[in-house]
Amino acid sequence: MAAAGVVSGKIIYEQEGVYIHSSCGKTNDQDSLISGILRVLEKDAEVIVDWRPLDDALDSSSILYAGKDSSSVVEWTQPPKERGYRGSEHLNSYEAEWDMVNTVPFKKKPHTNGDAPSHRNGKSKWSFLFSLTDLKSIKQNKEGMGWSYLVFCLKDDVVLPALHFHQGDSKLLIDSLEKYVVLCESPQDKRTLLVNCQNKSLSQSFENLLDEPAYGLIQAGLLDRRKLLWAMHQWKKIKKDPYTATMVGFSKVTNYIFDSLRGSDPSTHQRPPSEMADFLSDAIPGLKINQQEEPGFEVITRIDLGERPVVQRREPVSLEEWTKNIDSEGRILNVDNMKQMIFRGGLSHALRKQAWKFLLGYFPWDSTKEERTQLQKQKTDEYFRMKLQWKSVSEEQEKRNSRLRDYRSLIEKDVNRTDRTNKFYEGQDNPGLILLHDILMTYCMYDFDLGYVQGMSDLLSPLLYVMENEVDAFWCFASYMDQMHQNFEEQMQGMKTQLIQLSTLLRLLDSGFCSYLESQDSGYLYFCFRWLLIRFKREFSFLDILRLWEVMWTELPCKNFHLLLCCAILESEKQQIMEKHYGFNEILKHINELSMKIDVEDVLCKAEAISLQMVKCKELPQAVCEILGLQDSEVATPDSDTGEDESVAMTSCPASTFQSDALPILATSGARDDNTTQISVSPNVSRLTPA
C-alpha cells in the first residue's frame, strides 16, 4: 500500500460532498453531518469503494477490517498505541492487504447512553471500504425526497451507513459501478438495485470456469488466491458483455490461471497439453479439443490435400439478372443457379431487400407473387399480435414479471450501443433505434424461453437496415435466429461444438500451426469465439458484413462454410503469428486487432478454395466429412495431366457444381480480371445432402 491506511490505485470515480448523517444515540437532535470523499478505485485488479471523512488523519487505526480467519467484521478495540502498532504491521503484510479488499470492513459498534466510541478521531469511525465483489445490493432514495442517497448492503448482510449526495451526481456513481457489475431492479422494490442479476444465457459456461474445479485447485494450493481473485473480477466483465469483452478478458483470465498453475519454477512453464486440457475440460464441461480420441471420430493425421485451386469471384448479381430468372407469376426459376451466382458474387444493394427474404426462408423459393403477398399479410397480423402482448403489459404487471423486466433492461442497453456510427442508427431519438428495440422485445414474445441475449442486436441491425420495414425485418431475424439459436442457449452447446469442429478442420489444413497454437496454450481457439457467436459481425465493415452474410445464407459450397472462413483468416495470419513467436496474449491481441482490417472478397476466395481442395482429397477423414456435410460419391474430376476425366471414389462438395459461365470474375488478390483462367469442373456432379 502507498501509505498506512491510504488506499492507492487508479481512481475511477471521485466525489466530494458525500455526507453521512450521524446521530449520537436515539435522540431528537438534528443529525450531525460528516462530509467525506467517496472514491471507486482499481487496486491490484480489484475494484474498491472507499469513503472517508475529509479531515480523517488517514492513520491505520481508522480503517476497519476483519482478520484473515474471522467470521464477522469487527472494529479494533485496542488502546491507540497498541492499535497503531498492530495496524502498521498488519497492513504491510500480504494477508492484510487482501483481507482489507476481500472482507467486509465496516461494522458499527453498539454504544450505550450516547457515549462515543474510543477513537482518537471521532469521525474516523465512519470510514469504510469494501471490494465490489462483496456488494449485494444498493438501495436508492425515493425521487423528490430531499438529497439523493445510496445505501450499500454487502453479501453478509452488513448494511453500511447511507451516503447522502448533497451535490447530486449519485447517478454517476451507479454508472461507474455498472462498468464492473450488472445492476438491475429488485422485483420486490424498484428502489433496490441487485448486483449481477442478469440473464443466465451466455454467461453460464463462463461462470463454470470458477466453480468447483477451480475451488479445488485453490484448496490444493495449485492456484494463487490473489491471482484467482483478479481473474474472478475479469470474468465478471466477460459475463456482463461476453461478445465485446471475450477477446481481452479471456486472455487475461486464462493467462493468470495458467501462470498460477505453473508457479515460479521455469521448468514447469510448459505444461503438457493434456494437463491444460484436463483443467479447462473440467472447468467448461463438454469442451475437449485435440487431446484425446472422441467416440465416433477418427484421429486426424497428416494428409496430403493436394494443390489448392485458384478461385475467382464474379460481379454481384444485378437487378436485371434477378428479373430474368422470374416467371410471369413471380416464381424464381433455376434456384440452384441463382444461389450459385449469389455465392460467387453476392447481390447488388438494390436487390437485397427482395432477395434476402428468400435466402433466409421468409419467402419460399417456389412461391408466386400473390402467395407472397398473402403471406406478408398473415405475418403482419401475427407480428402485431405479439407486439401488443408486451406493449399492453402495465407497470403493475411488469413489477411481477422479472424476466420481462430483465429482457427490457438488457435490450435498452444494447440498442443504445449497436451500430451507432451508422447513419441509419446515429443520433438521439433515432427511429431506427426504436424499431430495433421493438423488434427485439417482440422476439421475446415469439421465443420467450430464449428471450434476449446480448449479441442478438448485432444480428438484427443489418437486417433492419436492408429491409427498412419492421415486420419484414422481424421475420427475417426470426429465420436467422433459427440458424443461430444454439449460439445463445444457456449451455452454449452450439459454441462448444463449433470450436471443436473448427479445431478439427484447422488441424487437417495445417497441423504444424495447430501444434504451435497448442504450445502457446491457444489450441482451444477461444480467440475465434466472437467470430462464431455473431458471425463475424464485428470483424468486417457494415457493408462487407452484408456481402458476407448473403453469401453464407446460400448454404454453399458446403455445410458450415463459416468455419472455413475462420480457417482462411487464421491461415492468412499464421506467418506473422509464428515468425514473431507470439504467445498467448499476443495471439489474442493480434486477432482482436484484425477487426475492420480483413478483406471480405479475399477471405471468401480462400475459403472456397479450401473447400475445393478438400473435395479433391481422396482420403478425407470421416470427421471432416461430417462437419462439412459431405458423403462418398463417384465424382468425375478434371485430370490436369491428361485432360481426361478420371472417376475416383472421393468425398464431394456442392462447390464443385459451379460453372463460371464466362462471367466477370474477381481474383484472390481482390482485383477484377476478365482474362483469368476459370475453374472447370465436371457438370456431372450433383448437390449432396448432409451425411
Side-chain angles (χ1 to χ4, degrees):
M1 303 189 67
V6 178
V7 180
S8 60
K10 178 183 177 183
I11 296 177
I12 306 302
Y13 168 92
E14 185 176 49
Q15 177 68 41
E16 293 187 14
V18 179
Y19 288 75
I20 287 179
H21 294 191
S22 67
S23 177
C24 296
K26 297 180 180 179
T27 69
N28 295 322
D29 296 337
Q30 184 178 3
D31 281 356
S32 171
L33 305 183
I34 302 177
S35 177
I37 300 177
L38 180 64
R39 295 186 180 95
V40 178
L41 309 99
E42 278 190 0
K43 173 180 170 56
D44 295 333
E46 269 294 304
V47 181
I48 303 168
V49 178
D50 177 37
W51 184 92
R52 60 192 59 241
L54 283 172
D55 58 351
D56 197 333
L58 296 180
D59 67 327
S60 60
S61 65
S62 68
I63 299 183
L64 315 172
Y65 60 92
K68 182 174 186 291
D69 299 320
S70 64
S71 59
S72 62
V73 179
V74 296
E75 256 183 282
W76 286 351
T77 56
Q78 291 85 359
K81 179 183 285 189
E82 181 183 348
R83 184 169 62 240
Y85 170 76
R86 179 179 171 181
S88 175
E89 178 185 23
H90 193 67
L91 288 171
N92 288 329
S93 71
Y94 163 81
E95 289 182 358
E97 182 176 341
W98 285 93
D99 286 337
M100 290 177 62
V101 171
N102 293 290
T103 60
V104 183
F106 181 91
K107 187 171 184 180
K108 186 176 176 182
K109 287 191 61 145
H111 338 246
T112 57
N113 303 323
D115 294 333
S118 57
H119 279 75
R120 287 177 296 174
N121 183 336
K123 294 183 179 180
S124 294
K125 70 174 183 177
W126 298 102
S127 300
F128 65 80
L129 59 83
F130 62 87
S131 167
L132 206 54
T133 58
D134 291 323
L135 182 61
K136 178 180 179 182
S137 64
I138 304 173
K139 188 165 185 176
Q140 306 173 93
N141 63 298
K142 291 182 179 179
E143 293 185 7
M145 298 292 288
W147 289 308
S148 61
Y149 68 80
L150 299 175
V151 179
F152 295 109
C153 179
L154 306 182
K155 288 181 180 177
D156 63 352
D157 294 326
V158 170
V159 179
L160 301 178
L163 297 179
H164 296 257
F165 293 75
H166 289 198
Q167 300 175 15
D169 291 338
S170 63
K171 183 66 170 63
L172 291 178
L173 173 62
I174 298 296
D175 291 342
S176 298
L177 297 181
E178 284 188 318
K179 295 177 182 177
Y180 302 95
V181 294
V182 177
L183 300 174
C184 65
E185 289 181 0
S186 165
Q188 289 77 31
D189 184 359
K190 289 177 63 176
R191 295 164 55 199
T192 300
L193 299 177
L194 302 178
V195 177
N196 286 339
C197 62
Q198 64 212 56
N199 189 318
K200 291 184 180 179
S201 299
L202 200 61
S203 66
Q204 185 66 43
S205 291
F206 290 132
E207 197 169 47
N208 290 342
L209 188 60
L210 297 175
D211 61 8
E212 293 300 326
Y215 180 74
L217 290 170
I218 302 169
Q219 296 298 95
L222 296 178
L223 272 183
D224 183 283
R225 178 171 177 260
R226 173 158 51 177
K227 289 183 176 180
L228 184 71
L229 290 169
W230 184 90
M232 289 176 67
H233 167 63
Q234 292 295 329
W235 213 263
K236 288 175 185 289
K237 291 183 181 180
I238 297 178
K239 286 170 60 183
K240 181 180 178 184
D241 194 357
Y243 62 96
T244 56
T246 298
M247 302 302 289
V248 177
F250 196 92
S251 65
K252 293 179 179 177
V253 173
T254 313
N255 214 34
Y256 259 78
I257 293 175
F258 286 178
D259 286 347
S260 299
L261 282 167
R262 289 170 177 152
S264 58
D265 183 359
S267 65
T268 66
H269 282 195
Q270 290 297 328
R271 301 291 270 191
S274 59
E275 196 166 328
M276 304 310 301
D278 290 341
F279 171 71
L280 284 180
S281 295
D282 287 340
I284 304 181
L287 191 57
K288 297 181 180 179
I289 304 177
N290 293 336
Q291 301 302 335
Q292 61 184 24
E293 186 174 351
E294 295 278 337
F297 288 83
E298 70 236 71
V299 176
I300 296 176
T301 54
R302 290 194 177 187
I303 294 174
D304 182 10
L305 293 175
E307 185 177 353
R308 184 174 298 177
V310 176
V311 171
Q312 302 89 30
R313 290 183 59 76
R314 53 155 283 164
E315 295 283 352
V317 177
S318 66
L319 188 58
E320 182 182 1
E321 287 177 301
W322 177 267
T323 306
K324 284 181 180 179
N325 277 273
I326 299 178
D327 68 13
S328 58
E329 293 186 324
R331 293 186 186 87
I332 307 298
L333 303 173
N334 200 346
V335 174
D336 288 342
N337 184 61
M338 178 58 69
K339 286 184 177 180
Q340 289 175 18
M341 290 194 297
I342 296 172
F343 175 79
R344 299 300 297 275
L347 295 159
S348 59
H349 189 69
L351 187 54
R352 284 180 171 136
K353 186 180 295 187
Q354 185 178 174
W356 279 21
K357 295 169 188 173
F358 292 92
L359 289 169
L360 285 165
Y362 177 31
F363 287 168
W365 285 96
D366 59 353
S367 62
T368 65
K369 184 176 181 180
E370 183 178 348
E371 288 170 342
R372 294 193 292 271
T373 300
Q374 291 301 317
L375 179 64
Q376 278 186 303
K377 287 182 180 179
Q378 174 192 333
K379 291 296 186 181
T380 298
D381 290 342
E382 189 175 345
Y383 173 77
F384 283 108
R385 281 198 301 271
M386 289 187 293
K387 184 173 182 178
L388 186 61
Q389 290 174 8
W390 65 267
K391 278 280 192 180
S392 60
V393 174
S394 67
E395 288 187 15
E396 287 300 315
Q397 285 178 298
E398 192 163 321
K399 286 179 182 178
R400 296 185 291 272
N401 192 332
S402 60
R403 289 185 67 184
L404 184 61
R405 286 200 313 274
D406 290 346
Y407 290 154
R408 187 193 295 273
S409 175
L410 202 52
I411 287 169
E412 288 173 354
K413 287 181 181 179
D414 278 6
V415 162
N416 285 325
R417 58 190 181 190
T418 300
D419 292 324
R420 297 306 302 275
T421 57
N422 187 305
K423 289 186 177 181
F424 193 80
Y425 298 110
E426 70 180 3
Q428 296 297 321
D429 301 321
N430 188 303
L433 298 179
I434 297 172
L435 290 178
L436 268 181
H437 172 274
D438 287 1
I439 292 171
L440 292 170
M441 284 295 297
T442 304
Y443 186 81
C444 292
M445 301 294 106
Y446 176 78
D447 187 348
F448 204 81
D449 286 340
L450 179 64
Y452 179 79
V453 182
Q454 286 181 315
M456 288 165 58
S457 62
D458 275 294
L459 300 183
L460 172 60
S461 171
L463 298 173
L464 180 58
Y465 171 83
V466 168
M467 294 299 153
E468 299 180 304
N469 176 283
E470 182 178 2
V471 175
D472 290 343
F474 172 84
W475 289 111
C476 287
F477 174 66
S479 296
Y480 197 15
M481 281 302 300
D482 287 344
Q483 302 175 30
M484 303 292 290
H485 201 281
Q486 277 198 317
N487 282 16
F488 297 96
E489 291 172 0
E490 187 167 336
Q491 298 303 319
M492 298 185 69
Q493 189 55 50
M495 293 301 299
K496 295 173 185 176
T497 299
Q498 288 174 85
L499 287 169
I500 292 170
Q501 292 174 335
L502 177 56
S503 178
T504 301
L505 293 173
L506 192 62
R507 180 165 295 281
L508 174 68
L509 290 168
D510 197 328
S511 59
F513 185 37
C514 273
S515 296
Y516 177 81
L517 292 175
E518 287 174 355
S519 72
Q520 303 303 320
D521 298 325
S522 300
Y524 298 94
L525 306 179
Y526 282 118
F527 44 78
C528 298
F529 182 92
R530 189 173 68 184
W531 298 359
L532 300 173
L533 179 69
I534 50 175
R535 285 296 191 271
F536 307 99
K537 170 62 166 54
R538 299 204 169 192
E539 316 315 317
F540 293 89
S541 69
F542 195 85
L543 293 179
D544 281 351
I545 246 348
L546 307 184
R547 170 77 74 245
L548 187 69
W549 282 5
E550 64 199 13
V551 168
M552 289 193 292
W553 291 337
T554 64
E555 299 180 343
L556 299 173
C558 56
K559 184 180 172 183
N560 286 318
F561 182 63
H562 68 288
L563 299 180
L564 297 184
L565 291 169
C566 293
C567 291
I569 297 171
L570 292 175
E571 192 176 76
S572 298
E573 304 307 316
K574 166 193 167 182
Q575 184 176 358
Q576 183 170 344
I577 290 172
M578 294 185 70
E579 286 185 354
K580 294 189 177 180
H581 305 291
Y582 283 168
F584 185 88
N585 280 337
E586 291 82 8
I587 292 171
L588 284 163
K589 182 174 183 291
H590 177 72
I591 295 298
N592 194 35
E593 290 175 349
L594 293 177
S595 178
M596 303 301 159
K597 299 176 184 177
I598 308 172
D599 186 315
V600 68
E601 297 291 347
D602 182 58
V603 168
L604 284 169
C605 284
K606 288 179 179 177
E608 184 186 351
I610 291 172
S611 73
L612 292 172
Q613 184 183 24
M614 290 187 177
V615 165
K616 294 172 69 177
C617 177
K618 299 178 181 180
E619 300 177 349
L620 202 63
Q622 183 61 29
V624 175
C625 293
E626 292 177 2
I627 292 168
L628 300 182
L630 309 177
Q631 63 187 24
D632 291 340
S633 176
E634 292 290 326
V635 180
T637 57
D639 189 313
S640 58
D641 295 329
T642 65
E644 298 176 357
D645 285 351
E646 177 185 4
S647 295
V648 293
M650 61 175 289
T651 304
S652 63
C653 173
S656 57
T657 63
F658 294 155
Q659 300 296 318
S660 57
D661 298 328
L663 292 167
I665 49 182
L666 185 70
T668 52
S669 63
R672 299 199 177 275
D673 183 358
D674 294 334
N675 301 316
T676 307
T677 302
Q678 298 168 10
I679 298 174
S680 174
V681 185
S682 170
N684 297 325
V685 179
S686 59
R687 182 180 176 88
L688 301 173
T689 57

